[in-house]
Amino acid sequence: MRMRPTLSWTPDEDLPPGTTDLEPVVEMLGGGGVLVLSGAGISTESGIPDYRGEGGSLSRHTPMTYQEFLAAPEARRRYWARSHLGWRTFGRARPNAGHRAVAAFARHGLVGGVITQNVDGLHQAAGSGEAVELHGSLDRVVCLSCGAFSPRRELARRLEEANPDYAPVAAGINPDGDADLTDEQVEDFRVLPCTICGGILKPDVVFFGETVPPARVERCREAVREAASLLVLGSSLTVMSGLRFVRQAAESGKPVVIVNRDATRGDRYAVTRVALPLGPALTSVADRLGVSVPGPA
């Protein structure tokens, strides 16, 4: 499955307005067997901006495509310089109330699985250990030549040693861990090769224009087949890689509920869309279901 580099979406039909009524979410979770599909919006309360919401990073930043990354050393230098700086901030992010609520619902048997479009690892850090990372994770690095995987922290250490004085001021951090820097701020950054074969290193994430591994896609499809319902949290569903699971659920007669402040590309497949901030909304749902959500670690 290839991620289309679709960066924006404009509704081409009249969609029902969002509601502030949480009862559909309470009823869905109360019935159990819920599959959660999360997007960047669930991580905004952890200090990681989303792509398309108010103040989203796409207003100032265009994510690098897989084709750009492969095409030139200059593109890889730009990516790694920005990603290395972003990692310093990104790696300090902690799960928020939304992540913790999803993990609590799973512990109580109400959520049967999590698919996340995010690459931040915050669902796992909150306790959702079986979350399927649809687009990979920033905490791993892969060599495009020999296929070897290594921890991101190991590469971060090597890059710190190779660029000891690298400390530019970034205009912002993006959902993919990329910092906003100018061309002048990245021109002297030193990129490092694979320690095994000298090949090109890439974060183990699916770039725009890249193919999601078929086995991972099938794992998600199977999760949809096994679920009683689908709860979408914080995703505009602009990218087809996430939207297709909403379509699959709806076409098989399974209810879909979306919690997202803005209209989404999946609204027409949903029973309703709740337009509320995720952390407070899911905490309120947990209270009504008698589910205890732990505080921050």
Side-chain angles (χ1 to χ4, degrees), residues 80-260:
W80 277 118
R82 293 164 59 153
S83 184
H84 178 59
L85 184 64
W87 176 253
R88 296 174 180 173
T89 300
F90 201 83
R92 292 194 294 267
R94 294 295 177 262
N96 63 53
H99 300 109
R100 299 195 301 272
V102 170
F105 294 141
R107 286 193 295 272
H108 283 74
L110 306 182
V111 166
V114 176
I115 300 170
T116 183
Q117 299 174 90
N118 300 338
V119 296
D120 53 34
L122 293 180
H123 276 298
Q124 293 87 334
S128 298
E130 296 302 314
V132 179
E133 296 171 312
L134 184 62
H135 298 153
S137 176
L138 276 177
D139 69 1
R140 298 184 300 271
V141 178
V142 62
C143 174
L144 297 182
S145 296
C146 70
F149 290 91
S150 58
R152 176 64 179 266
R153 64 179 180 275
E154 178 182 310
L155 177 62
R157 176 188 57 78
R158 293 175 60 212
L159 288 172
E160 291 283 358
E161 293 174 353
N163 301 276
D165 300 320
Y166 187 71
V169 177
I173 304 297
N174 304 301
D176 53 7
D178 196 8
D180 289 326
L181 298 173
T182 65
D183 290 342
E184 291 74 16
Q185 288 175 304
V186 306
E187 61 185 2
D188 295 326
F189 188 81
R190 182 183 172 196
V191 179
L192 298 179
C194 173
T195 57
I196 298 174
C197 72
I200 294 172
L201 293 177
K202 173 183 170 293
D204 187 26
V205 300
V206 179
F207 283 15
F208 281 89
E210 191 178 0
T211 299
V212 178
R216 192 180 302 164
V217 175
E218 180 53 34
R219 184 179 174 190
C220 294
R221 290 191 182 280
E222 181 61 25
V224 175
R225 287 191 288 267
E226 293 179 353
S229 56
L230 181 63
L231 177 61
V232 180
L233 301 176
S235 176
S236 67
L237 299 169
T238 298
V239 178
M240 187 60 66
S241 62
L243 178 63
R244 65 182 59 215
F245 302 123
V246 172
R247 288 178 171 177
Q248 178 188 346
E251 289 168 0
S252 62
K254 299 179 181 184
V256 176
V257 169
I258 299 172
V259 184
N260 196 67

Side-chain angles (χ1 to χ4, degrees), residues 2-8 51-52 58 61-68 135 176 205-211 238-239:
R2 185 171 300 278
M3 282 185 64
R4 302 175 183 178
T6 302
L7 300 182
S8 63
Y51 283 112
R52 301 172 180 88
L58 287 183
H61 163 79
T62 299
M64 180 169 290
T65 67
Y66 185 60
Q67 292 73 23
E68 287 177 294
H135 298 153
D176 53 7
V205 300
V206 179
F207 283 15
F208 281 89
E210 191 178 0
T211 299
T238 298
V239 178

